[in-house]
């Protein structure tokens, strides 16, 4: 477990198990940010965040364009005033076991398993920084009774 994740409270880790759409930010070769919506899973024990995607995606291209071990990435999720961001070094994994594991984790978090895709790969972010604020009340549902 990374020190950054180990230092987070249980409610921070719990926030990463809730159903939320996230964003992934990678860095283009020209240094500008590339931000896209994604699903993210957190493996706190390993200190890794995972994103499943297609190997032809721009996010994968950005990671592969960086010098080995130097591709920076961040994932973020927001729910009302609650937010959390994980930053670190990204790598693309293609081994079928890594892909299958990431798909299963995605299925657990998002309650649906994506259809098989021979082009699927996994972006693994080794977490170096974790930040956020999850200590504010959860927003009420729009039609919640008082």
């Amino acid at each position: 477990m990374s020190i950054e994740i180990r230092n987070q409270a249980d409610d921070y880790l719990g926030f990463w198990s809730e159903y939320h759409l996230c964003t992934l930010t990678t860095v283009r070769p020209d240094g500008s940010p590339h931000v896209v919506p994604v699903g993210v899973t957190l493996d706190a024990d390993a200190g890794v965040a995972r994103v499943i995607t297609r190997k032809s995606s721009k996010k994968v291209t950005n990671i592969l364009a960086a010098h080995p071990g130097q591709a920076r990435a961040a994932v973020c999720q927001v729910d009302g005033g609650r937010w959390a961001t994980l930053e670190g070094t990204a790598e693309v994994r293609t081994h079928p076991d890594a892909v299958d594991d990431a798909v299963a984790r995605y299925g657990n978090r998002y309650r649906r398993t994506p259809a098989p895709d021979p082009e699927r790969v996994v972006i693994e972010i080794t977490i170096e920084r974790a930040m956020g604020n999850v200590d504010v009340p959860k927003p009420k549902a729009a039609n919640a009774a008082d």
Side-chain angles (χ1 to χ4, degrees), residues 60-76:
V60 167
T61 302
N62 290 340
I63 292 166
L64 295 177
H67 291 293
Q70 295 183 7
R72 304 297 299 166
V75 289
C76 181

Side-chain angles (χ1 to χ4, degrees), residues 16 18 20-24 36-41 75-78 109-110:
W16 281 101
E18 297 173 12
H20 296 292
L21 187 61
C22 303
T23 60
L24 167 69
V36 293
V38 294
V40 175
T41 61
V75 289
C76 181
Q77 65 182 16
V78 177
R109 180 172 187 195
Y110 292 100

Side-chain angles (χ1 to χ4, degrees), residues 1-145:
M1 181 185 296
S2 80
I3 291 173
E4 286 291 329
I5 290 299
R6 189 174 342 153
N7 289 337
Q8 299 300 320
D10 288 342
D11 55 346
Y12 185 88
L13 298 178
F15 185 52
W16 281 101
S17 67
E18 297 173 12
Y19 190 108
H20 296 292
L21 187 61
C22 303
T23 60
L24 167 69
T25 303
T26 57
V27 181
R28 293 183 182 101
D30 69 2
S32 65
H34 177 255
V35 184
V36 293
V38 294
V40 175
T41 61
L42 170 62
D43 181 348
D45 291 334
V48 171
R50 292 182 179 88
V51 174
I52 56 175
T53 189
R54 295 187 61 124
K55 65 182 173 184
S56 59
S57 71
K58 180 62 177 167
K59 50 192 162 286
V60 167
T61 302
N62 290 340
I63 292 166
L64 295 177
H67 291 293
Q70 295 183 7
R72 304 297 299 166
V75 289
C76 181
Q77 65 182 16
V78 177
D79 181 36
R82 301 183 313 144
W83 65 277
T85 299
L86 304 170
E87 297 178 5
T89 305
E91 294 184 66
V92 177
R93 304 279 187 218
T94 59
H95 192 278
D97 290 344
V99 173
D100 290 346
D101 178 62
V103 168
R105 290 172 186 274
Y106 179 97
N108 287 337
R109 180 172 187 195
Y110 292 100
R111 298 181 289 282
R112 74 171 193 84
T113 301
D117 183 350
E119 300 295 308
R120 184 168 288 129
V121 296
V122 180
I123 296 171
E124 287 189 357
I125 302 167
T126 301
I127 300 164
E128 298 167 7
R129 180 177 297 151
M131 62 191 115
N133 182 8
V134 299
D135 294 332
V136 296
K138 290 182 185 180
K140 288 185 177 182
N143 60 356

